[in-house]
Amino acid sequence: MAVDTKSLYSLENDVFKVYLTYAVLVVFKMMFLSFYTSFTRISNKIFANREDYGWTYPEEKAKQKIESYKGDERVNRILRCHLNDLENIPAFLIVGLLYVAINPSPYTATMHYRIFAAARYFHCVAYLLPLPQPSRALGFTVGAIVTISMGVQILRAVATF
């Protein structure tokens, strides 16, 4: 039975709507880390570039003091969390969008998207607090398994080899 791909990628398709919801939620979480990095750097006067110090604290511009963020655990922890998002969320966005094309059941798709988003939020909390391991590893692993599961289902649906 042929499926109209136009209807799959429309707001008439519940799976696509759920994908859009969770895609935006994980992108917003990733964006939050950018703002949190900036906030942490500014509030602690820790900058990556000398010109940022003078722009943010003009009254102290003459000092041109710069502390390397490389030695600051607070900034580094946020950056590592953000980097992990940048390594995992784009893959989810692509595979999750392709997953819509195989017309999965709304329940199965919703669980995949929901579990991935929850795992990424949990990973972030575990990284930033920090929670003891294997908390962070669990958040990462669950998210990776979800993306792999969707990818395997896509391959099973379309594989010609």
Side-chain angles (χ1 to χ4, degrees):
M1 172 170 91
V3 176
D4 180 15
T5 56
K6 287 184 182 178
S7 65
L8 286 176
Y9 291 98
S10 75
L11 295 181
E12 296 168 5
N13 181 359
D14 289 338
V15 171
F16 185 57
K17 288 194 300 190
V18 171
Y19 166 76
L20 292 175
T21 301
Y22 286 99
V24 168
L25 288 174
V26 295
V27 167
F28 278 176
K29 188 204 81 59
M30 190 167 54
M31 290 174 64
F32 160 77
L33 290 172
S34 295
F35 294 117
Y36 189 48
T37 301
S38 295
F39 172 79
T40 302
R41 283 182 173 177
I42 291 168
S43 62
N44 293 290
K45 297 183 180 182
I46 300 166
F47 301 99
N49 304 297
R50 187 169 301 282
E51 65 272 13
D52 296 342
Y53 192 91
W55 177 71
T56 308
Y57 294 97
E59 70 280 2
E60 300 179 31
K61 186 175 180 180
K63 292 182 184 178
Q64 291 292 304
K65 177 184 170 193
I66 184 164
E67 294 181 46
S68 173
Y69 70 91
K70 293 177 182 171
D72 188 85
E73 180 60 22
R74 296 164 294 195
V75 174
N76 277 323
R77 185 166 287 278
I78 300 165
L79 290 173
R80 288 191 308 268
C81 185
H82 194 196
L83 179 60
N84 195 275
D85 275 355
L86 292 170
E87 294 168 348
N88 290 277
I89 290 175
F92 165 78
L93 294 174
I94 293 166
V95 173
L97 185 61
L98 295 173
Y99 187 61
V100 174
I102 67 168
N103 201 20
S105 80
Y107 175 79
T108 302
T110 299
M111 293 310 294
H112 275 86
Y113 298 147
R114 186 176 289 159
I115 291 168
F116 179 85
R120 292 313 304 172
Y121 273 82
F122 177 76
H123 177 271
C124 183
V125 169
Y127 219 133
L128 298 181
L129 283 182
L131 296 178
Q133 282 287 31
S135 302
R136 190 177 76 244
L138 181 65
F140 166 81
T141 303
V142 168
I145 288 170
V146 167
T147 303
I148 292 167
S149 172
M150 290 187 298
V152 167
Q153 290 178 59
I154 293 166
L155 289 175
R156 288 179 58 202
V158 303
T160 58
F161 48 89

